């Protein structure tokens, strides 16, 4: 294993940011204003790297990142159709700080494209960062989420896609949009295969904030949201009085659907495509405005290639 030149890595990653952002578009949606779309960052290939080493006194050596392959998380069924699953504790604090350290210099204003042109728009006011796919903490999280998918992805055929971070500060938001492409994308491996984002993971890395819920206006829960939040799962059973810090993890939104509170380490998973490969419009969602603080999340978009058999 080798320690890699930091400037080179940062340079390659910055180039990836400049090349980023393809295709997103905005179309009118009656009653809900705008639909927009998140494009992929192109992530350049470069040699496998270890995380940057730092010592306590400044900037030299720290233990390299070790992936906890025994890490356990807990899933909770939110909606059956479309499938939405809440994942508690998907990403560990160690993974979060490692990923943030890698991504910090890579953030740039988020964009969408409208009528074929790339725009900074009031529909999406956050910053984004493409994540190097070979960063050890990124590899670790991609491995865990890939395993979650099981046979939904076919080995050596489908792929996880380049992950990206999005960061919101006070007042920032992302109006309603969907994650899938209207027209499947052509593979960049020289073949004519096409792919689409079959599902999405939206994992919260930083949630020192108020506001900033993720709102799915068309989602219907299998049951009313629990008022107990995480407390429901601590010690297995609810006993006695509800603690004052209990907060629901999601709620029924006054305009319909469900709104999920950002909680660092937890994630939402949903399936974007119908069985026939077309996009499920009920997965449209919005990042509601952040009132104060900072929210950072990781987007992971598994790619399923056609043909679908
Ligand atoms: C695909 O399936 C969905 C859900 O069953 C349906 O609404 C849609 O019309 C289908 N699209 C095509 C092109 O068959
Ligand atoms: C969290 O946010 C509050 C309000 O924005 C701020 O005062 C506080 O310092 C933040 N805490 C951390 C740990 O960042």
């Amino acid at each position: 294993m080798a320690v890699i030149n930091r400037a080179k890595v940062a340079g390659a990653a910055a180039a990836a940011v400049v090349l980023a952002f393809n295709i997103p578009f905005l179309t009118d949606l009656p009653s809900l204003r705008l639909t927009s779309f998140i494009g992929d960052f192109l992530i350049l290939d470069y040699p496998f790297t270890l995380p940057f080493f730092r010592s306590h006194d400044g900037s030299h050596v720290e233990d390299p990142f070790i992936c906890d392959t025994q890490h356990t998380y807990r899933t909770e069924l939110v909606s059956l159709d479309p499938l939405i699953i809440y994942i508690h504790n998907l990403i560990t604090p160690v993974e979060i700080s490692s990923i943030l350290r890698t991504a910090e210099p890579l953030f740039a204003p988020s964009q969408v494209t409208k009528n074929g042109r790339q725009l900074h728009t009031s529909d999406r006011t956050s910053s984004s960062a493409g994540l190097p796919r070979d960063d050890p903490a990124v590899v670790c999280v991609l491995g865990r989420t890939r395993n979650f998918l099981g046979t939904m992805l076919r080995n050596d055929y489908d792929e996880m896609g380049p992950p990206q971070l999005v960061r919101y500060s006070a007042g920032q938001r992302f109006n309603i949009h969907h994650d899938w492409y209207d027209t499947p994308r052509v593979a960049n491996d020289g073949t004519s295969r096409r792919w689409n984002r079959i599902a999405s993971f939206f994992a919260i890395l930083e949630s020192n904030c108020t506001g900033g819920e993720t709102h799915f206006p068309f989602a219907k829960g299998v049951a009313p949201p629990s008022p107990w939040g995480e407390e429901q799962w601590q010690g297995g059973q609810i006993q006695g009085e509800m603690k004052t810090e209990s907060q629901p993890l999601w709620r029924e939104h006054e305009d319909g659907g469900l709104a999920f509170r950002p909680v660092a380490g937890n994630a939402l998973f949903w399936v974007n495509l119908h069985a026939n490969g077309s996009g499920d419009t009920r997965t449209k969602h919005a990042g509601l405005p952040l009132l104060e603080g900072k929210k950072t999340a990781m987007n992971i978009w598994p790619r399923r290639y056609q043909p679908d058999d």
Side-chain angles (χ1 to χ4, degrees), residues 24-43:
F25 57 88
L26 298 165
T27 56
D28 288 328
L29 183 70
S31 84
L32 284 164
R33 281 198 68 213
L34 290 164
T35 296
S36 50
F37 181 86
I38 316 175
D40 283 322
F41 281 86
L42 297 180
I43 305 297

Side-chain angles (χ1 to χ4, degrees), residues 138-272:
V138 173
V139 170
C140 182
V141 170
L142 287 182
R144 186 175 303 140
T145 48
R146 194 267 165 271
N147 287 341
F148 179 91
L149 296 166
T151 52
M152 182 179 250
L153 292 196
R154 294 155 294 182
N155 285 334
D156 304 321
Y157 197 72
D158 301 315
E159 62 196 25
M160 289 303 283
Q164 56 179 261
L165 297 194
V166 60
R167 172 170 285 163
Y168 296 84
S169 58
Q172 296 183 330
R173 68 175 179 282
F174 191 178
N175 286 340
I176 188 159
H177 63 280
H178 53 74
D179 290 0
W180 39 268
Y181 290 83
D182 280 333
T183 306
R185 308 292 301 153
V186 178
N188 63 0
D189 60 2
T191 69
S192 58
R193 297 193 305 152
R194 290 179 169 271
W195 58 267
N196 209 340
R197 291 169 175 166
I198 188 168
S200 297
F201 293 89
F202 188 69
I204 305 295
L205 305 189
E206 294 183 294
S207 58
N208 182 27
C209 61
T210 55
E213 293 167 306
T214 305
H215 180 207
F216 287 74
F218 308 111
K220 282 199 183 75
V222 292
S226 165
W228 296 85
E230 292 289 359
E231 199 188 325
Q232 173 151 3
W233 307 101
Q234 287 156 11
Q237 274 192 322
I238 302 170
Q239 287 173 347
E241 294 288 303
M242 188 185 290
K243 291 181 196 145
T244 49
E245 65 265 30
S246 281
Q247 271 195 72
L249 293 165
W250 64 89
R251 66 186 177 95
E252 282 163 352
H253 191 277
E254 52 276 15
D255 296 335
L258 301 174
F260 296 83
R261 184 165 64 87
V263 177
N266 293 356
L268 279 171
F269 168 84
W270 65 92
V271 175
N272 287 313

Side-chain angles (χ1 to χ4, degrees), residues 4-23:
I4 305 294
N5 179 306
R6 177 177 187 159
K8 185 177 155 199
V9 171
V17 169
V18 171
L19 288 171
F21 318 107
N22 49 4
I23 330 94

Side-chain angles (χ1 to χ4, degrees), residues 274-279 282:
H274 292 297
N276 61 15
S278 69
R282 300 168 302 170

